[in-house]
Amino acid sequence: MQYSFLNSRIPLLSHFQERMVVSKTPSINRFLTVNANQITHMSSVDRQIMANAIRILSADAVQQANSGHPGAPMGMADIAEVLWSDFFNHNPADPKWPNRDRFILSNGHGSMLIYSLLHLSGYDVSLDDVKNFRQLHSKTPGHPEYGYTPGIETTTGPLGQGIANAVGMAIAEQKYAAEFNTAEHALVDHFTYVFMGDGCMMEGVSHEACSLAGTLGLGKLVAFWDDNGISIDGEVGGWFTDDTQGRFEAYGWQVIADVDGHDAASISAAVKAARADQRRPTLICCKTVIGKGSPSKEGSESCHGAPLGQDELALVRERLDWSAEPFHVPADVYQAWDAKTAGQTKQAEWQAMFDAYAAAHPDNAKEFERRIQGHLPANWAKDAAKIVADTNTAAATLATRKSSLNALNDFGPLLKELIGGSADLAGSNYTIWSGSEGISRDNKGGNYVYFGVREFAMAAICNGLSLYGGLIPYAGTFLVFSDYMRNGMRMSALMKQPVIYVLTHDSIGLGEDGPTHQPVEHCASLRLIPNMSLWRPCDAVESVVSWKVAIENQSQPSSLVFSRQNLPHQERTDRQIADIERGGYILRDCEGEPSLILIATGSEVALAMDSVSKLEDKGERVRVVSMPCTDLFDAQDAAYKSDVLPLSCERRIALEAGSSDYWYKYVGLRGAVIGMTSFGESAPADQLFVHFGFTVENVVSTAAGLV
């Protein structure tokens, strides 16, 4: 079989580059004394002019949009030029080439930096696209957005998450290298480069992620800190005086300090030192001047988040000796920047290596290809259906968190791409399945990440794992602590990344740990995130189906919400089992048209079922609807939804041990909700359910009050 990845459009892995001999912590001084004329550069155009092309394009685009951040692109232009000209391995003609280097602009407000780089080096980002900066439906939105622009690896803007995404990508690179590389074929061999500013350094998520990166020894992660001392509010000395160098050294990073971010020789030497030490991630501390080239505004907050102005832009052109009109780049500068030929050559070399690899290791090559194409195993549908059927036959009464573990134990052996972890709650989340193998500095090919108490970083790192391609990441914590990682979960949804969130201890059923640990508003809150699919299963069968659907869902994240307490098995027909995947279905029906519909999720489905006989004694014709996934139910056609929830029956009660307000969209003005309108209390779970009205008696009383 011929495997061809040339001009592919499938996401994933890394790039072709020379194999480097890892030295034992080479002397930094040796690298920092490299002479400027020793730097390899193929262009006859002065590299300062190449950097100035970034400065001018960025300033012109921000000025035309009358909105944006010119300071960061102008300040980091020299660093970007050295990295992209001398080290960065990529192919503009195929932005999804598996073995490319990854480049992440964590300080995403400086988006014109990466748009300039993409345009100049030959990606499908035209000059018109640059001129259309920050306009509706452009390829150049205000912050880099995954899926909009060829060459953008992740959406950045919320500071600190870009570096955390990069940690995930670096974990993925080393995992794939450990799994697929041989002594003869370095199939996966690339670096992940990150630009980050002072704001990224301040955000807590960067502390979480970088600490873990050091512990794991992610030696092919290289971060450049734009140390310009300026943020939107002014000089950062009033609020940011950390010993950043000492902090990263304590994390276990190689730190290259005091690099002149405007001197090509110093930058190049630092990158070489970073690439040579592959036992540690590297932080390159670059002293820069924000807005460099702006005579009146460089070095101050005035160029951070606003256009320079036409008069100042004229002075920039004068200072940089740039005579070209706005949005014009001289032909020789374009030629100097053009990376298409070199990129195609590198990819062709990698393709030849892959072909040789496929001949020598056909099974591994097929597996590699399957994963990067995002395909599930060939027998997935058959095997998954059997797992669901076997779960139904077992008819177990279990906490759904335990049912989730059973699902992992069943699905895990089928999915070599499954990778997950927990924020120090594995013993409670049940996220460690029988085939889990911890990732560490010395075991790079594992499939389980011990994230520690780092919920936010966990979500952002899982986004990076997903964006890398060919992996199915899952992340576990208590539902109540989803608050800590909420913005990372939002970014999963914004980028449509199929990260699976395993969220246990789902309600007041947590019990004695009290209201600090009892989620009330969390399900409703997560349901409100666009593109987020939330499941709250009522038993083992719905739990395994939720995992199955989440694994198959390639276009959005899933939040799987599981109980601490045991929940009884519900009897179903084959048709009902199939309908679980529609998000809501009739679990128990009555003869004729219902006079009352009970809609429930999770633990409250059992309450609804227990209430039926008492309601029937009162003369009610009761239908019980289990709705484990509201967004999937909402996506069904009108006919199915009206079959489940007929408009003719307005007497409806929704039951969920969470915020009440969400459910009025289903019960309407004549219906009622038995839910939570306050925080919980500390007491045994069974007492709490009685205290808050989750009883058969209250269901019957509530029904009696409906007209």
Side-chain angles (χ1 to χ4, degrees), residues 235-248:
E235 297 181 7
V236 301
W239 50 87
F240 180 52
T241 58
D242 297 13
D243 179 2
T244 299
Q245 178 178 344
R247 173 157 67 90
F248 275 77

Side-chain angles (χ1 to χ4, degrees), residues 224-242:
F224 298 80
W225 171 30
D226 182 27
D227 182 14
N228 59 36
I230 298 293
S231 68
I232 289 178
D233 283 351
E235 297 181 7
V236 301
W239 50 87
F240 180 52
T241 58
D242 297 13

Side-chain angles (χ1 to χ4, degrees), residues 397-595:
T397 292
L398 295 169
T400 52
R401 61 172 177 156
K402 183 63 186 300
S403 299
S404 171
L405 175 60
N406 290 344
L408 275 170
N409 280 324
D410 288 336
F411 290 133
L414 309 178
L415 301 168
K416 294 182 179 180
E417 58 266 51
L418 191 67
I419 180 171
S422 174
D424 203 48
L425 286 170
S428 295
N429 298 145
Y430 293 149
T431 49
I432 298 178
W433 60 283
S434 59
S436 292
E437 183 180 344
I439 292 172
S440 67
R441 180 183 295 271
D442 299 317
N443 184 19
K444 302 181 185 300
N447 61 5
Y448 193 86
V449 182
Y450 291 91
F451 284 104
V453 188
R454 300 184 179 100
E455 292 91 352
F456 193 175
M458 176 173 66
I461 288 169
C462 283
N463 284 337
L465 290 167
S466 179
L467 288 160
Y468 192 83
L471 296 171
I472 301 175
Y474 66 91
T477 187
F478 287 178
L479 175 59
V480 75
F481 299 141
S482 64
D483 284 340
Y484 280 121
M485 60 183 184
R486 170 65 181 251
N487 200 259
M489 300 175 77
R490 182 178 187 269
M491 295 300 288
S492 301
L494 183 62
M495 294 188 285
K496 301 179 180 179
Q497 292 304 299
V499 178
I500 301 173
Y501 294 97
V502 182
L503 307 172
T504 67
H505 298 62
D506 69 342
S507 69
I508 57 173
L510 175 64
E512 291 88 342
D513 277 341
T516 64
H517 283 53
Q518 292 167 8
V520 170
E521 74 277 22
H522 297 74
C523 280
S525 175
L526 292 173
R527 287 176 178 130
L528 292 176
I529 300 177
N531 302 327
M532 175 65 75
S533 189
L534 183 137
W535 286 82
R536 188 169 182 249
C538 75
D539 66 358
V541 176
E542 286 190 358
S543 297
V544 74
V545 171
S546 74
W547 265 104
K548 173 182 176 291
V549 174
I551 290 167
E552 293 171 350
N553 192 340
Q554 299 291 303
S555 60
Q556 64 185 125
S558 299
S559 291
L560 311 185
V561 176
F562 299 117
S563 72
R564 179 195 188 194
Q565 73 274 26
N566 288 342
L567 302 181
H569 172 73
Q570 301 295 336
E571 296 292 333
R572 299 175 182 85
T573 65
D574 290 344
R575 180 69 264 169
Q576 287 172 313
I577 293 173
D579 284 345
I580 294 172
E581 297 192 21
R582 306 182 81 161
Y585 63 101
I586 300 170
L587 179 62
R588 186 196 186 279
D589 212 357
C590 58
E591 292 187 9
E593 291 294 316
S595 64

